Short mmCIF file of all heavy atoms in Angstrom, two decimals:
data_model
loop_
_atom_site.label_atom_id
_atom_site.label_comp_id
_atom_site.label_asym_id
_atom_site.label_seq_id
_atom_site.Cartn_x
_atom_site.Cartn_y
_atom_site.Cartn_z
N GLU A 28 -1.90 42.20 25.73
CA GLU A 28 -3.05 41.26 25.77
C GLU A 28 -3.62 41.27 27.21
O GLU A 28 -4.82 41.20 27.39
CB GLU A 28 -2.59 39.97 25.34
CG GLU A 28 -3.64 38.83 25.33
CD GLU A 28 -3.23 37.44 25.03
OE1 GLU A 28 -2.05 37.22 24.74
OE2 GLU A 28 -4.06 36.63 25.30
N LYS A 29 -2.66 41.21 28.20
CA LYS A 29 -3.16 41.19 29.58
C LYS A 29 -3.91 42.44 29.90
O LYS A 29 -4.96 42.37 30.57
CB LYS A 29 -1.90 41.01 30.53
CG LYS A 29 -2.25 40.80 31.97
CD LYS A 29 -1.01 40.71 32.82
CE LYS A 29 -1.26 40.09 34.18
NZ LYS A 29 -1.40 38.67 34.11
N GLU A 30 -3.42 43.53 29.54
CA GLU A 30 -4.08 44.87 29.83
C GLU A 30 -5.43 44.86 29.22
O GLU A 30 -6.43 45.33 29.94
CB GLU A 30 -3.22 46.06 29.27
CG GLU A 30 -2.01 46.40 30.14
CD GLU A 30 -1.36 47.64 29.82
OE1 GLU A 30 -2.02 48.60 29.20
OE2 GLU A 30 -0.16 47.84 29.92
N ARG A 31 -5.60 44.51 28.02
CA ARG A 31 -6.90 44.50 27.35
C ARG A 31 -7.86 43.51 28.04
O ARG A 31 -9.02 43.85 28.33
CB ARG A 31 -6.76 44.04 25.87
CG ARG A 31 -6.22 45.19 24.96
CD ARG A 31 -6.42 44.76 23.48
NE ARG A 31 -5.69 43.61 23.16
CZ ARG A 31 -4.36 43.54 22.67
NH1 ARG A 31 -3.68 44.58 22.58
NH2 ARG A 31 -3.88 42.35 22.37
N ALA A 32 -7.35 42.30 28.38
CA ALA A 32 -8.23 41.37 28.95
C ALA A 32 -8.70 41.78 30.38
O ALA A 32 -9.88 41.64 30.63
CB ALA A 32 -7.40 40.04 29.05
N LEU A 33 -7.78 42.41 31.14
CA LEU A 33 -8.11 42.91 32.42
C LEU A 33 -9.16 44.08 32.36
O LEU A 33 -10.02 44.17 33.28
CB LEU A 33 -6.86 43.32 33.21
CG LEU A 33 -6.06 42.22 33.64
CD1 LEU A 33 -4.73 42.69 34.32
CD2 LEU A 33 -6.76 41.37 34.76
N LYS A 34 -8.99 44.88 31.39
CA LYS A 34 -9.85 46.05 31.20
C LYS A 34 -11.25 45.51 30.93
O LYS A 34 -12.21 45.98 31.56
CB LYS A 34 -9.37 46.93 30.00
CG LYS A 34 -10.29 48.12 29.78
CD LYS A 34 -9.76 49.02 28.77
CE LYS A 34 -10.56 50.31 28.47
NZ LYS A 34 -11.89 49.95 27.96
N LEU A 35 -11.47 44.55 30.01
CA LEU A 35 -12.73 43.97 29.73
C LEU A 35 -13.28 43.28 30.97
O LEU A 35 -14.50 43.27 31.25
CB LEU A 35 -12.65 43.00 28.55
CG LEU A 35 -12.42 43.62 27.16
CD1 LEU A 35 -12.08 42.50 26.15
CD2 LEU A 35 -13.57 44.41 26.75
N TRP A 36 -12.38 42.55 31.69
CA TRP A 36 -12.79 41.91 32.89
C TRP A 36 -13.41 42.76 33.91
O TRP A 36 -14.43 42.52 34.52
CB TRP A 36 -11.71 41.02 33.38
CG TRP A 36 -12.07 39.95 34.30
CD1 TRP A 36 -13.11 39.00 34.23
CD2 TRP A 36 -11.35 39.52 35.56
NE1 TRP A 36 -13.08 38.11 35.18
CE2 TRP A 36 -12.04 38.44 36.02
CE3 TRP A 36 -10.33 40.09 36.15
CZ2 TRP A 36 -11.58 37.83 37.26
CZ3 TRP A 36 -9.89 39.41 37.34
CH2 TRP A 36 -10.55 38.31 37.84
N ILE A 37 -12.73 43.90 34.14
CA ILE A 37 -13.20 44.82 35.19
C ILE A 37 -14.48 45.51 34.68
O ILE A 37 -15.45 45.68 35.55
CB ILE A 37 -12.09 45.92 35.49
CG1 ILE A 37 -10.89 45.24 36.16
CG2 ILE A 37 -12.66 47.09 36.19
CD1 ILE A 37 -9.74 46.11 36.27
N GLU A 38 -14.65 45.69 33.44
CA GLU A 38 -15.95 46.24 32.93
C GLU A 38 -17.07 45.26 33.20
O GLU A 38 -18.24 45.73 33.61
CB GLU A 38 -15.84 46.57 31.43
CG GLU A 38 -14.94 47.81 31.11
CD GLU A 38 -14.80 48.00 29.62
OE1 GLU A 38 -15.30 47.14 28.80
OE2 GLU A 38 -14.12 48.87 29.22
N ASP A 39 -16.90 44.00 33.05
CA ASP A 39 -17.92 43.06 33.35
C ASP A 39 -18.15 42.86 34.82
O ASP A 39 -19.19 42.59 35.27
CB ASP A 39 -17.45 41.73 32.68
CG ASP A 39 -17.77 41.63 31.22
OD1 ASP A 39 -18.56 42.30 30.67
OD2 ASP A 39 -16.90 40.94 30.56
N LEU A 40 -17.14 43.02 35.67
CA LEU A 40 -17.24 42.96 37.02
C LEU A 40 -18.12 44.19 37.57
O LEU A 40 -18.83 43.99 38.56
CB LEU A 40 -15.82 43.06 37.68
CG LEU A 40 -15.77 42.50 39.23
CD1 LEU A 40 -16.22 41.03 39.32
CD2 LEU A 40 -14.29 42.61 39.73
N GLU A 41 -17.96 45.32 36.86
CA GLU A 41 -18.84 46.47 37.23
C GLU A 41 -20.31 46.21 37.00
O GLU A 41 -21.13 46.76 37.82
CB GLU A 41 -18.45 47.66 36.24
CG GLU A 41 -17.06 48.28 36.76
CD GLU A 41 -16.53 49.30 35.70
OE1 GLU A 41 -17.23 49.44 34.57
OE2 GLU A 41 -15.57 49.95 36.02
N LYS A 42 -20.66 45.26 36.11
CA LYS A 42 -22.02 44.90 35.88
C LYS A 42 -22.50 44.15 37.06
O LYS A 42 -23.67 44.25 37.57
CB LYS A 42 -22.13 44.06 34.63
CG LYS A 42 -21.86 44.84 33.32
CD LYS A 42 -22.02 43.93 32.19
CE LYS A 42 -21.81 44.70 30.88
NZ LYS A 42 -20.33 45.10 30.63
N ILE A 43 -21.68 43.28 37.70
CA ILE A 43 -22.04 42.65 38.91
C ILE A 43 -22.17 43.57 40.12
O ILE A 43 -23.03 43.39 40.89
CB ILE A 43 -20.97 41.47 39.28
CG1 ILE A 43 -20.89 40.44 38.21
CG2 ILE A 43 -21.33 40.77 40.65
CD1 ILE A 43 -22.17 39.76 37.86
N GLU A 44 -21.30 44.56 40.18
CA GLU A 44 -21.45 45.59 41.22
C GLU A 44 -22.73 46.31 41.12
O GLU A 44 -23.37 46.54 42.11
CB GLU A 44 -20.31 46.69 40.93
CG GLU A 44 -20.36 47.98 41.79
CD GLU A 44 -20.10 47.66 43.28
OE1 GLU A 44 -19.49 46.64 43.64
OE2 GLU A 44 -20.41 48.50 44.13
N GLY A 45 -23.21 46.58 39.90
CA GLY A 45 -24.56 47.23 39.73
C GLY A 45 -25.66 46.31 40.15
O GLY A 45 -26.69 46.76 40.69
N GLU A 46 -25.55 45.02 39.88
CA GLU A 46 -26.59 44.08 40.19
C GLU A 46 -26.71 43.89 41.75
O GLU A 46 -27.82 43.57 42.29
CB GLU A 46 -26.23 42.65 39.57
CG GLU A 46 -27.33 41.54 39.83
CD GLU A 46 -28.64 41.89 39.32
OE1 GLU A 46 -28.75 42.75 38.40
OE2 GLU A 46 -29.62 41.25 39.72
N LEU A 47 -25.55 44.14 42.48
CA LEU A 47 -25.58 43.98 43.97
C LEU A 47 -25.98 45.22 44.68
O LEU A 47 -26.17 45.24 45.85
CB LEU A 47 -24.18 43.54 44.43
CG LEU A 47 -23.94 42.05 44.60
CD1 LEU A 47 -22.44 41.75 44.95
CD2 LEU A 47 -24.86 41.54 45.79
N LYS A 48 -25.90 46.39 44.06
CA LYS A 48 -26.14 47.68 44.66
C LYS A 48 -27.45 47.70 45.48
O LYS A 48 -28.42 47.31 44.96
CB LYS A 48 -26.13 48.78 43.68
CG LYS A 48 -26.16 50.13 44.22
CD LYS A 48 -25.94 51.22 43.18
CE LYS A 48 -25.87 52.60 43.79
NZ LYS A 48 -25.73 53.70 42.78
N GLY A 49 -27.29 48.04 46.74
CA GLY A 49 -28.47 48.15 47.64
C GLY A 49 -28.95 46.82 48.15
O GLY A 49 -29.98 46.77 48.80
N LYS A 50 -28.20 45.71 47.90
CA LYS A 50 -28.63 44.37 48.42
C LYS A 50 -27.68 43.91 49.41
O LYS A 50 -26.44 44.11 49.33
CB LYS A 50 -28.70 43.39 47.29
CG LYS A 50 -29.74 43.77 46.15
CD LYS A 50 -29.77 42.84 44.97
CE LYS A 50 -30.63 43.11 43.93
NZ LYS A 50 -30.55 42.21 42.76
N LYS A 51 -28.13 43.06 50.33
CA LYS A 51 -27.29 42.26 51.28
C LYS A 51 -26.64 41.11 50.49
O LYS A 51 -25.43 40.89 50.62
CB LYS A 51 -28.10 41.89 52.45
CG LYS A 51 -27.26 41.16 53.55
CD LYS A 51 -28.11 40.84 54.70
CE LYS A 51 -27.35 40.13 55.82
NZ LYS A 51 -28.15 39.79 57.04
N PHE A 52 -27.56 40.34 49.88
CA PHE A 52 -27.12 39.24 49.09
C PHE A 52 -27.70 39.44 47.72
O PHE A 52 -28.62 40.24 47.53
CB PHE A 52 -27.42 37.79 49.64
CG PHE A 52 -26.69 37.55 50.91
CD1 PHE A 52 -27.29 37.64 52.19
CD2 PHE A 52 -25.38 37.21 50.91
CE1 PHE A 52 -26.70 37.39 53.32
CE2 PHE A 52 -24.67 36.98 52.14
CZ PHE A 52 -25.39 37.05 53.35
N PHE A 53 -27.29 38.60 46.73
CA PHE A 53 -27.86 38.78 45.33
C PHE A 53 -29.39 38.62 45.40
O PHE A 53 -30.15 39.37 44.58
CB PHE A 53 -27.19 37.70 44.51
CG PHE A 53 -25.84 38.15 43.91
CD1 PHE A 53 -24.75 37.60 44.51
CD2 PHE A 53 -25.77 39.00 42.90
CE1 PHE A 53 -23.50 38.00 44.08
CE2 PHE A 53 -24.46 39.35 42.41
CZ PHE A 53 -23.36 38.75 42.98
N GLY A 54 -29.97 37.66 46.14
CA GLY A 54 -31.36 37.42 46.16
C GLY A 54 -32.10 38.19 47.26
O GLY A 54 -33.30 38.01 47.34
N GLY A 55 -31.39 38.97 47.98
CA GLY A 55 -32.02 39.80 49.05
C GLY A 55 -31.40 39.54 50.42
O GLY A 55 -30.23 39.93 50.60
N GLU A 56 -32.16 38.97 51.39
CA GLU A 56 -31.61 38.95 52.84
C GLU A 56 -30.83 37.67 53.13
O GLU A 56 -30.13 37.63 54.08
CB GLU A 56 -32.78 39.15 53.75
CG GLU A 56 -33.47 40.39 53.71
CD GLU A 56 -32.48 41.55 54.13
OE1 GLU A 56 -31.87 41.38 55.27
OE2 GLU A 56 -32.30 42.51 53.43
N THR A 57 -30.96 36.62 52.32
CA THR A 57 -30.26 35.35 52.60
C THR A 57 -29.54 34.93 51.39
O THR A 57 -29.72 35.24 50.26
CB THR A 57 -31.27 34.24 53.02
OG1 THR A 57 -32.21 34.08 51.90
CG2 THR A 57 -32.05 34.70 54.26
N ILE A 58 -28.48 34.04 51.70
CA ILE A 58 -27.65 33.48 50.65
C ILE A 58 -28.51 32.62 49.78
O ILE A 58 -29.43 31.81 50.34
CB ILE A 58 -26.50 32.62 51.27
CG1 ILE A 58 -25.48 33.52 51.80
CG2 ILE A 58 -25.90 31.63 50.28
CD1 ILE A 58 -24.32 32.75 52.58
N GLY A 59 -28.32 32.70 48.46
CA GLY A 59 -29.08 31.83 47.57
C GLY A 59 -28.21 31.41 46.42
O GLY A 59 -27.09 31.40 46.42
N TYR A 60 -28.91 30.85 45.36
CA TYR A 60 -28.27 30.36 44.24
C TYR A 60 -27.09 31.14 43.58
O TYR A 60 -26.04 30.68 43.35
CB TYR A 60 -29.36 30.03 43.17
CG TYR A 60 -28.95 29.64 41.76
CD1 TYR A 60 -28.62 28.35 41.46
CD2 TYR A 60 -28.91 30.63 40.79
CE1 TYR A 60 -28.28 27.98 40.09
CE2 TYR A 60 -28.58 30.32 39.47
CZ TYR A 60 -28.23 29.00 39.18
OH TYR A 60 -27.82 28.69 37.89
N LEU A 61 -27.44 32.41 43.31
CA LEU A 61 -26.59 33.34 42.72
C LEU A 61 -25.27 33.60 43.55
O LEU A 61 -24.14 33.74 43.13
CB LEU A 61 -27.22 34.58 42.21
CG LEU A 61 -26.47 35.50 41.29
CD1 LEU A 61 -25.81 34.69 40.07
CD2 LEU A 61 -27.23 36.69 40.71
N ASP A 62 -25.50 33.72 44.90
CA ASP A 62 -24.39 33.84 45.87
C ASP A 62 -23.41 32.70 45.75
O ASP A 62 -22.18 32.86 45.68
CB ASP A 62 -24.91 34.09 47.24
CG ASP A 62 -25.78 35.29 47.40
OD1 ASP A 62 -25.36 36.40 47.38
OD2 ASP A 62 -27.02 35.01 47.50
N LEU A 63 -24.01 31.55 45.60
CA LEU A 63 -23.07 30.37 45.60
C LEU A 63 -22.37 30.28 44.27
O LEU A 63 -21.25 29.92 44.20
CB LEU A 63 -23.97 29.05 45.75
CG LEU A 63 -24.67 28.89 47.18
CD1 LEU A 63 -25.33 27.56 47.13
CD2 LEU A 63 -23.86 29.17 48.27
N ALA A 64 -23.12 30.71 43.16
CA ALA A 64 -22.44 30.67 41.84
C ALA A 64 -21.36 31.71 41.80
O ALA A 64 -20.32 31.44 41.11
CB ALA A 64 -23.53 30.97 40.79
N MET A 65 -21.51 32.87 42.42
CA MET A 65 -20.48 34.00 42.39
C MET A 65 -19.53 33.85 43.57
O MET A 65 -18.64 34.63 43.73
CB MET A 65 -21.19 35.32 42.49
CG MET A 65 -22.07 35.56 41.26
SD MET A 65 -21.00 35.95 39.70
CE MET A 65 -22.27 36.46 38.59
#
């Protein structure tokens, strides 16, 4: 159960990696709402 849960979790974390690619912060150059949320 742990292995399955961690696998799914890492897959979802990869989506956040893609959202951040090429950015300093989630919203651009300064800390914003999504940075605080994450």
Side-chain angles (χ1 to χ4, degrees):
E28 181 187 350
K29 190 183 194 78
E30 286 190 27
R31 286 193 297 271
L33 286 173
K34 182 176 182 293
L35 289 172
W36 198 42
I37 289 172
E38 287 175 1
D39 285 329
L40 202 57
E41 287 171 349
K42 296 180 175 70
I43 300 301
E44 173 71 17
E46 183 63 18
L47 263 175
K48 190 174 182 180
K50 299 177 183 176
K51 184 176 180 180
F52 294 105
F53 281 98
E56 291 298 308
T57 58
I58 284 178
Y60 167 85
L61 192 50
D62 299 286
L63 300 187
M65 296 290 189

